[in-house]
Amino acid sequence: IAIVLTLPLRYFFRYIGDRPLWLRVAGFLGGSYVVAYAWISARMFIYERWFEHDAELTAWVKSLGPAAELYHKVSFYESQVSSWVTILAWSSLYFAIKHYRVFQDVRESALRSAAMAHEAQLKMLRYQLNPHFLFNTLNAISTLVLERETEGANRMVTRLSSFLRYSLDNDPMQKVTLRQEIEALKLYLDIEKVRFEERLRLELDIEPEAEGALIPSLLLQPLVENAIKYAIARSETGGCLRIAARVFAGELLLELSDDGPGAALVDGEIPSARGVGLRNTRERLQALYGNGHSFRLGNTVTHGLTVNIR
C-alpha cells in the first residue's frame, strides 16, 4: 500500500521541483504527511475489518478496562508518527537520488565543456605553428628569388608542399610516434637544407624503445627551427643539431642540442626570448600533461643550447 501511495507523491515532487525553496520544503513535509495519513488510514481500515474482532484480542482489550481508549489513541498516534517518518525517509531518498543525478548531469556537462575548451586550446596552439613556420619559410624563398636562385627556390617550394601535406594529413589532436615525428622533422630539414646545404648537420641518437613513444605532433619542429635561426644561421661554418631520446622508468626523455653560441640563461629561461616556438611548446606540454612533464633549457658543454623534455 505504501509503495502504491508513493507513486503519486513522486509526481507531486516532480511538479514542485522548480518551485521556490519554501514551497518545496512545505511540499516535502506536507506531501509526506498526506501519504502517511492515507497509509495509516488504510492500515486502520484493514485492522478494524479483519483483526480487531479477533476473540483473543477482544478479550485482551476488555481486560484493559478504562485504559483501552488511551491504548487506542497512543497506538494510533504512534503508528501515524512511524508512518510519517517512513514516508519522510522515502521522500529524502527520492530527493537525494534526484539531486545526485542532477549533480552528475551538471558535472558531465562541465567536463564536456572543459574538454571542448581544452581541445580548442590545443588546436589553436598546434595551428599557431603553421603561420609561424610559413612566415619564416616564405621569407627564405623570397630571399632565394631575389638572389635569382630559382632552382633553390623551386626545390624549397616543392619540399614545403610535402611538409604541409604531412601537416594537414595529421589530426592536431592525435599524438604520433617519435619515429613519425623524426620523419616529419626530416621533411622540414630538407627545406632548410636548400639554404644551408652542408652547413646544416643532423645527428640522431634514438633508442629503439623510444621510437614507439607517443608525443604531440610537430613538437620538435619549432625547437629545431629556433636552433637553426639562432645557432646554425649565425655561424659561417654552420653547425650540428643533435636529437637524443631514451625511455627511463616509463617516461620519454628527449634532448635537443646545438653547437651554436648558446644563450644567457636566468633560472633556466631566456629573458629576451619573445618568439613563438618556445612559448608554444611549453603551453602545449602544459595543456597535455600538466605536472606530468618537465621542460628545461641548459647550456651545451663547450658551447650551444640544450633543451630537455621529459
Side-chain angles (χ1 to χ4, degrees):
I1 290 170
I3 290 171
V4 170
L5 289 173
T6 54
L7 290 176
L9 184 60
R10 174 190 177 193
Y11 290 102
F12 172 69
F13 285 159
R14 186 179 295 178
Y15 172 74
I16 65 171
D18 298 328
R19 299 296 189 275
L21 179 61
W22 69 269
L23 190 58
R24 279 181 283 161
V25 172
F28 169 73
L29 296 173
S32 298
Y33 180 79
V34 169
V35 169
Y37 186 82
W39 185 23
I40 190 63
S41 298
R43 288 163 58 189
M44 290 300 295
F45 173 79
I46 294 170
Y47 170 75
E48 290 172 356
R49 177 127 187 196
W50 284 287
F51 296 99
E52 189 175 31
H53 303 294
D54 181 83
E56 291 184 9
L57 181 61
T58 303
W60 179 75
V61 171
K62 283 183 179 179
S63 70
L64 293 176
E69 185 179 355
L70 178 63
Y71 164 76
H72 273 292
K73 289 182 178 179
V74 171
S75 177
F76 176 78
Y77 286 117
E78 183 181 13
S79 298
Q80 191 175 36
V81 170
S82 67
S83 299
W84 193 27
V85 169
T86 302
I87 299 300
L88 281 174
W90 178 93
S91 300
S92 300
L93 183 61
Y94 169 84
F95 278 106
I97 293 172
K98 180 180 178 180
H99 283 90
Y100 174 76
R101 290 177 64 181
V102 170
F103 170 77
Q104 287 296 99
D105 289 342
V106 171
R107 182 170 176 270
E108 287 177 11
S109 177
L111 287 173
R112 282 195 298 271
S113 298
M116 289 172 66
H118 185 249
E119 182 177 340
Q121 180 193 14
L122 286 173
K123 284 185 176 180
M124 180 274 291
L125 290 170
R126 169 62 177 75
Y127 286 133
Q128 189 183 44
L129 292 176
N130 289 342
H132 177 248
F133 159 71
L134 278 173
F135 175 79
N136 291 336
T137 306
L138 291 174
N139 272 345
I141 294 172
S142 175
T143 301
L144 290 173
V145 171
L146 288 173
E147 293 175 354
R148 300 184 183 279
E149 294 185 22
T150 54
E151 186 179 341
N154 183 60
R155 283 204 312 273
M156 187 173 274
V157 169
T158 303
R159 292 171 183 181
L160 173 62
S161 174
S162 299
F163 181 79
L164 289 179
R165 186 178 296 112
Y166 169 86
S167 177
L168 292 171
D169 287 344
N170 282 275
D171 185 344
M173 294 304 298
Q174 295 297 320
K175 295 176 184 175
V176 299
T177 63
L178 182 59
R179 185 185 302 106
Q180 291 172 299
E181 178 74 356
I182 295 299
E183 290 303 316
L185 200 57
K186 287 178 179 177
L187 287 175
Y188 167 72
L189 290 173
D190 281 344
I191 298 169
E192 295 293 358
K193 280 189 175 182
V194 174
R195 283 197 297 161
F196 295 99
E197 297 179 340
E198 300 305 317
R199 292 171 58 211
L200 174 57
R201 300 181 301 279
L202 175 68
E203 290 183 5
L204 296 176
D205 182 13
I206 313 292
E207 275 189 350
E209 188 181 359
E211 289 184 349
L214 295 175
I215 65 173
S217 63
L218 297 183
L219 178 72
L220 299 178
Q221 186 267 330
L223 302 178
V224 170
E225 188 174 351
N226 273 355
I228 291 173
K229 182 177 179 181
Y230 295 107
I232 310 298
R234 294 185 178 183
S235 172
E236 291 184 5
T237 58
C240 178
L241 292 174
R242 182 177 181 274
I243 299 174
R246 301 279 185 274
V247 173
F248 179 76
E251 295 184 327
L252 177 65
L253 309 178
L254 291 169
E255 182 179 278
L256 189 147
S257 58
D258 62 64
D259 56 2
L265 300 176
V266 178
D267 296 328
E269 302 284 345
I270 303 175
S272 59
R274 293 185 177 85
V276 173
L278 289 176
R279 185 181 72 250
N280 183 286
T281 304
R282 286 183 189 276
E283 290 177 359
R284 289 181 72 196
L285 289 170
Q286 181 62 38
L288 282 166
Y289 302 104
N291 294 328
H293 86 284
S294 67
F295 182 93
R296 293 186 295 106
L297 301 179
N299 286 309
T300 309
V301 177
T302 309
H303 55 86
L305 186 70
T306 298
V307 180
N308 290 101
I309 300 173
R310 175 180 60 79

